[in-house]
Amino acid sequence: VFLAYGRVGDAVRVLKDTLKEEPNNLPAKLTLLRAYSHAEDSKAYSRLAKEVSVPLQNQAVWQTIQEHGRRLDPSNPLFHALH
């Protein structure tokens, strides 16, 4: 909901709190990636993308993550590797 209203900072805070209690919550991680992308936080985005790359490598969402990653962190090989 926060992202829909442009409240990226609030979204990041709530999602981080969620992940403290549910560290394996993949949907929350994907939403956090979207928040980092909106905030153009390349370091946080790249760090979290690396974490989710293995479980998502054969899913279509990984291509979207890579597209956003290439825009945010063009020199990161994670976003150019074929999975």
Side-chain angles (χ1 to χ4, degrees), residues 20-62:
K20 284 179 186 174
E21 294 184 24
E22 301 174 52
N24 296 320
N25 185 331
L26 190 55
K29 289 179 182 183
L30 292 175
T31 305
L32 186 54
L33 276 171
R34 279 189 27 229
Y36 288 150
S37 179
H38 286 300
E40 297 188 358
D41 186 341
S42 62
K43 288 183 181 180
Y45 187 93
S46 295
R47 184 173 50 249
L48 185 54
K50 182 176 181 182
E51 183 180 326
V52 300
S53 66
V54 172
L56 296 178
Q57 66 185 355
N58 294 318
Q59 296 185 33
V61 70
W62 179 245

